[in-house]
Amino acid sequence: MRNLISILCTLMLIVPAFALDADISPDLNPNAQIPPSDDLWDLLFSSEAGVATGDNQLLGGEFAVDKFYVTGGNSAGEPNQVYILNADGTLNTQFDQWSSAGWGWRDLAYDGTYLYGSDDYTVDAFDLTGAAVPAMN
């Protein structure tokens, strides 16, 4: 009886080791990387922001808290705009830029709290609703 218990305990240790080695995945290439990886810079999302906003002068963009923030020249109209698009690329809302430069904010950056837009000479800060944060300029 003692030998039988020893054999069963030994089998319980050996069998799972073989099962893990042989059963990674029957469909995987033997040279596949585990865990699997994807190519860098794959296109994950595409949207026609110019169509969604009706602006043919989009300049910069940033993704923050499930929304796309895009700066635009308002199709050469005044004032320049910041467009807020939903994660699916549909227009949510927009607000006027207060930049005095002709092109307006050319790009955006996000620090986890505020967005920053830059024009010729300044970097303007605003919150996710578009309210200016002058203390951060």
Side-chain angles (χ1 to χ4, degrees), residues 80-112:
N80 296 323
Q81 297 291 300
V82 174
Y83 303 99
I84 303 174
L85 290 87
N86 296 317
D88 64 1
T90 57
L91 182 62
N92 182 309
T93 189
Q94 66 192 67
F95 60 88
D96 295 345
Q97 294 181 28
W98 54 89
S99 170
S100 61
W103 282 90
W105 298 325
R106 291 174 187 82
D107 205 357
L108 294 174
Y110 179 60
D111 69 0

Side-chain angles (χ1 to χ4, degrees), residues 44-128:
L44 300 177
F45 176 75
S46 175
S47 174
E48 292 287 338
V51 173
T53 62
D55 191 335
N56 64 4
Q57 293 180 329
L58 300 180
L59 300 170
E62 184 66 61
F63 189 77
V65 190
D66 297 328
K67 301 234 182 320
F68 290 99
Y69 291 77
V70 181
T71 63
N74 198 13
S75 295
E78 291 292 330
N80 296 323
Q81 297 291 300
V82 174
Y83 303 99
I84 303 174
L85 290 87
N86 296 317
D88 64 1
T90 57
L91 182 62
N92 182 309
T93 189
Q94 66 192 67
F95 60 88
D96 295 345
Q97 294 181 28
W98 54 89
S99 170
S100 61
W103 282 90
W105 298 325
R106 291 174 187 82
D107 205 357
L108 294 174
Y110 179 60
D111 69 0
T113 304
Y114 301 113
L115 285 156
Y116 302 88
S118 62
D119 61 22
D120 287 342
Y121 303 106
T122 61
V123 175
D124 295 311
F126 55 97
D127 66 16
L128 297 176

